[in-house]
């Protein structure tokens, strides 16, 4: 037994806390390894020995990458939960994770989970149950893997007012977009490469359609704006429609395309009849300037950019997934939970003191990038510019590249037009795009993407 | 006296906590503004009304930028402290800040300070006094301004093992180095520009000599390695010797020069007789690859890069100074303190469970960049390479640029040599440099800089 050698309180590490681990996958096995290997360090840091009481799995005899004492495995998750002080849920999915977490709450156990899918769907109900029972429910690992982001938002920025959060919170899509940006590959080739290297799952839908990012966006928005948001509150667009041409055009104009989860407090919108204050939570491919801190986030890394009234701009960067990094975040929550259990204090970390309405994507004003293929003839630019003006959308920059056959000086060539607008409402932009689409000089509108960070 | 409210969902803001503010400068006035303007929000977030009991200043009638009710000002700091639940010390300097903090601790008040100079000198003694009195002493604002870095290190990474911390923790020097990098300016011109724009103080010594970064390095090292380090434990080199030539050469080789505060756990050194495990805390100009996350930190921004066994690489980025950003960090500590006073719990955030020796700079092994001016004659490269090999320093890359008068094809021109080594001990490198200096084919050694992040 280790004894604590600091004397600020009379706590010795003779206390034991029973830890139940649910799930022995990529993250769970690393958490088990840390609990066993670092037992003495953890005891010194918390004032209690963290005893791994058992690991609930579906099949005790399944082959596993990390070697752990066989007697730790059990298929009776419920019994394990009932005897635990701290329950670490790493099974993923909705059931039986939800039932077991509710059981842990009922028994007064502290719960640590990394299950963003469950939190996005059932978070509000689970938080309320935990609050009512006076039980702590922590989930730092659910957003941006190893990056400490929830605690800074809830604690460090507790005396400030967050105005906007923009996160690269899905490593798979960042890897794909980064590969497209650096190699010029098309989406399908970059996805194949990501799958080959293990950055994308066999069924990548949840990642590439933005659902995973949306779940994290709901959690970030809830903490940043002290209101509970669920998955259905998030407007979600994935990256399957992003082409090599979009990436190349963005690059030429000094931008990089990232899939961002954005949660933004909006005080006013320019459209009549819409709420004048609320929160927009959305996930979509976004152009950001290459020199923006988020622009430098490469490969499968994650980063969350936070804007607050007093703090200004902050960014938190790190590994967004992986067994050990995610286990680090889980263990941060476990150590905090253990300290609270030893030293006392309810350690309430999130508060829902405001009830802000969710704004529809139509209430959002942002800049837009519009790429289009037009006929190369006199008057095209002025016709298009007139349509923008009629719809109240102000153009910031307009670039034109003319494509002609070699040797051809003039003639029926086509022109690639790329327009970046000033801030405009979603509705005004949609009307503009519709009007442009109706022009016979327009061959096609190749992309409409939002621009942030300028 | 405050009473503990055990039901965490049943907190009403009828409780009042008296807040004493010491100092009404740039940061103090912003803290006062937030306490007054955001009183309702703060009450909702903490469960208590934070009553600004008074602001201790030297001269009640001095002109101030932020308009605050005149009756808040007092010159009797001591009386103010004795009646407070929370004392915010923003006077800076050693005295009377130290005496007033000790007085606050004796009276059982929670202390929040941003005084890195005091903490670097007297931190260990103050922490012990606070521990012994069971009083919380928080100082998030002391390192990297608005960036939440101390709480992530002490709480979020509490279940992990930090191996290295590298921080751009001084905005003035980062502004100067960034200006030199982007404009090619010499140090003195960049410093003059920084002074003109208000990024450097009239007496910039503490910044440009690295003392301010060293104070922050001592705090970061203490928290990261659970051992108390003071200013005298930090090896410190400033940026006054960095030339436009160094910056240009580094740039050409794909590096950027940053002043880094580095705290590193070293398990072994290659020099016999030196401790085989301990911590090196040092501040010096450092070459880092331009694509490294720290390489993208521009202007007066700060960032702290953390490497941990499980989490891998993390970075925290934001404003390192300024009234409002620093006030944001102060208020984060104040809200946490108020929550603890309302909800209970000692909220111990740092622990000194290890006693690691401080290693001298000679125990550090790193990569080096050496620039030298040599005669342009056959055999120079091999002579120099031989000296590196004799001293056990392995060369990674060697670049040579020959300078000749226009029209001159061969002759007594000089060659600029730039060498980047593999990891080598400080002693071996020093011996190599001395040996090279003794060669008659060497005109001068123009720079010796450390390289990190590769």
């Amino acid at each position: 037994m280790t004894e604590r050698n600091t004397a600020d309180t009379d706590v010795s590490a003779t206390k034991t806390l029973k830890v139940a681990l649910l799930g022995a996958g990529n993250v769970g096995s690393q958490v088990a390894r840390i609990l066993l290997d670092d037992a003495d360090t953890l005891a010194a840091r918390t004032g209690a020995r963290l005893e791994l009481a058992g690991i609930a799995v579906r099949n005790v005899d399944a082959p596993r990458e990390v070697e752990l004492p066989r007697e730790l495995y059990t298929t009776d998750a419920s019994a394990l939960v009932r005897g635990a002080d701290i329950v670490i849920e790493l099974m993923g999915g909705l059931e039986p994770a939800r039932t077991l977490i509710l059981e842990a709450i009922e028994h007064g156990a502290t719960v640590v989970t990394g299950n963003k899918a469950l939190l996005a769907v059932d978070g509000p109900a689970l938080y309320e149950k935990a609050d009512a029972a006076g039980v702590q429910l922590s989930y730092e690992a659910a957003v941006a893997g190893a990056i400490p982001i929830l605690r800074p938002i809830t604690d460090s920025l507790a005396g400030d007012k967050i105005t906007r959060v923009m996160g690269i919170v899905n490593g798979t899509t960042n890897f794909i977009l980064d590969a497209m940006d650096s190699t010029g590959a098309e989406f399908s080739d970059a996805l194949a490469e990501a799958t080959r290297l293990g950055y994308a799952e066999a069924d990548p839908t949840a990642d590439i359609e933005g659902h995973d990012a949306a779940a994290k966006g709901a959690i970030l928005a809830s903490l940043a704006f002290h209101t509970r948001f669920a998955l259905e509150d998030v407007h979600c667009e994935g990256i399957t429609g992003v082409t090599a041409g979009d990436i190349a055009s963005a690059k030429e104009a000094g931008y990089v395309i990232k899939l961002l989860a954005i949660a933004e407090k909006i005080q006013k919108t320019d459209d009549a009849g819409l709420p004048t204050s609320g929160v927009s939570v959305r996930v979509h491919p976004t152009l950001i300037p290459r020199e923006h801190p988020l622009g430098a986030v490469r490969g499968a890394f994650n980063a969350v950019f936070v804007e607050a009234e007093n703090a200004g701009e902050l960014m938190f960067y790190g590994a967004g997934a992986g067994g050990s990094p995610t286990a680090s975040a889980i263990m941060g929550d476990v150590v905090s939970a253990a300290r609270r259990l030893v030293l006392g204090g309810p350690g309430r970390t999130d508060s829902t003191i405001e009830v802000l309405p969710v704004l529809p994507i139509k209430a959002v004003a942002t800049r837009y990038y519009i790429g289009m293929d037009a006929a190369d003839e006199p008057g095209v630019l002025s016709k298009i510019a007139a349509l923008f003006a009629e719809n109240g959308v102000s153009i910031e920059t307009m670039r034109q590249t003319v494509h002609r056959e070699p040797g051809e000086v003039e003639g029926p060539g086509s022109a690639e037009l790329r327009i970046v607008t000033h801030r405009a409402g979603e509705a005004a932009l949609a009307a503009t795009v519709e009007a442009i689409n109706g022009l016979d000089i327009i061959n096609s509108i190749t992309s409409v993407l939002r621009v942030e960070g300028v």
Side-chain angles (χ1 to χ4, degrees), chain A:
Chain A
M1 283 261 158
T2 21
E3 274 188 14
R4 272 191 71 210
N5 46 16
T6 44
D8 61 334
T9 51
D10 56 348
V11 176
S12 65
T14 47
K15 187 180 187 105
T16 296
L17 294 172
K18 284 193 186 297
V19 179
L21 180 57
L22 311 182
N26 199 12
V27 180
S29 57
Q30 293 300 325
V31 167
R33 174 187 62 76
I34 296 170
L35 282 168
L36 296 175
D37 289 358
D38 296 346
D40 290 344
T41 306
L42 293 167
R45 289 188 188 172
T46 61
R49 292 207 72 84
L50 303 181
E51 183 199 319
L52 180 54
I55 309 173
V57 292
R58 244 171 297 179
N59 175 5
V60 168
D61 298 312
R64 301 179 206 282
E65 269 180 43
V66 179
E67 280 280 332
L68 297 168
R70 199 185 172 290
E71 64 271 19
L72 285 174
Y73 294 111
T74 172
T75 53
D76 191 349
S78 192
L80 189 61
V81 162
R82 284 195 302 270
D85 299 298
I86 299 172
V87 173
I88 307 174
E89 186 276 305
L90 292 169
M91 314 178 104
L94 301 189
E95 283 297 347
R98 178 192 358 224
T99 304
L100 290 166
I101 288 177
L102 288 172
E103 222 169 313
I105 291 172
E106 273 162 35
H107 282 83
T110 301
V111 178
V112 176
T113 177
N115 195 331
K116 64 238 168 198
L118 176 61
L119 291 175
V121 173
D122 265 346
L126 292 174
Y127 308 143
E128 262 165 47
K129 284 254 172 26
D131 276 357
V135 150
Q136 184 76 12
L137 171 63
S138 311
Y139 45 93
E140 179 65 76
V143 179
I147 308 175
I149 175 66
L150 304 189
R151 201 182 304 269
I153 286 180
T154 51
D155 291 350
S156 306
L157 289 166
D160 205 335
K161 288 177 185 167
I162 293 174
T163 51
R164 192 151 68 141
V165 178
M166 298 198 291
I168 295 172
V169 289
N170 179 272
T172 305
T173 47
N174 202 58
F175 180 89
I176 292 170
L177 292 171
D178 188 32
M180 290 173 74
D181 187 80
S182 48
T183 66
E186 279 294 354
F187 171 75
S188 55
D189 296 329
L191 171 59
E193 177 73 358
T195 309
R196 197 180 66 78
L197 294 172
Y199 287 111
E201 289 173 39
D203 177 1
T205 312
D207 294 319
I208 62 177
E209 296 294 353
H211 305 151
D212 173 76
K216 293 162 180 171
I219 297 172
L220 285 171
S222 301
L223 296 177
F225 299 115
H226 307 278
T227 298
R228 282 172 184 162
F229 300 100
L231 189 55
E232 72 234 35
D233 298 325
V234 186
H235 171 89
C236 180
E237 300 170 29
I239 64 163
T240 54
V242 178
T243 65
D246 291 337
I247 303 256
S249 298
K251 199 170 187 172
E252 201 186 300
Y255 294 97
V256 59
I257 298 183
K258 297 289 188 188
L259 182 71
L260 298 188
I262 302 176
E264 188 178 16
K265 195 164 183 176
I266 297 175
Q267 299 295 350
K268 272 193 179 183
T269 67
D270 25 14
D271 292 17
L274 289 166
T276 53
S277 175
V279 173
S280 157
V281 194
R282 56 192 199 270
V283 169
H284 52 66
T286 317
L287 274 75
I288 49 170
R290 297 189 87 81
E291 69 272 17
H292 189 281
L294 285 172
V297 179
R298 310 293 304 271
F301 274 94
N302 282 16
V304 180
F305 190 81
V306 178
E307 294 171 46
E309 274 183 17
N310 294 304
E313 301 180 344
L314 299 168
M315 192 175 83
F316 305 81
Y317 166 99
S324 293
T326 310
S328 172
I330 291 285
M331 288 306 301
D333 279 350
V334 170
V335 166
S336 288
R339 283 178 180 163
R340 275 193 306 273
L341 292 173
V342 172
L343 300 169
R348 195 171 61 108
T349 54
D350 81 320
S351 58
T352 50
I353 52 173
E354 298 192 56
V355 183
L356 292 167
V358 179
L359 298 184
I361 190 74
K362 285 170 78 176
V364 174
T366 180
R367 292 177 180 222
Y368 289 89
Y369 167 91
I370 304 118
M372 59 193 94
D373 196 47
D376 174 32
E377 51 178 71
V380 168
L381 286 190
S382 75
K383 280 184 196 165
I384 291 171
L387 283 183
F388 274 85
E390 275 168 33
N391 286 285
V393 178
S394 172
I395 291 173
E396 192 203 54
T397 58
M398 197 165 189
R399 285 154 189 260
Q400 185 180 21
T401 316
V402 175
H403 303 288
R404 285 214 182 78
E405 295 301 307
E408 198 182 4
V409 180
E410 243 178 275
S414 70
E416 194 188 335
L417 283 177
R418 282 158 303 190
I419 291 171
V420 175
T421 73
H422 285 294
R423 281 175 83 81
E426 189 90 10
L429 197 277
T432 312
V433 169
E434 203 188 320
I436 292 172
N437 240 335
L439 291 177
D440 55 4
I441 51 168
I442 292 292
N443 302 323
S444 66
I445 291 184
T446 50
S447 52
V448 179
L449 292 165
R450 298 180 188 86
V451 181
E452 297 283 357
V454 281

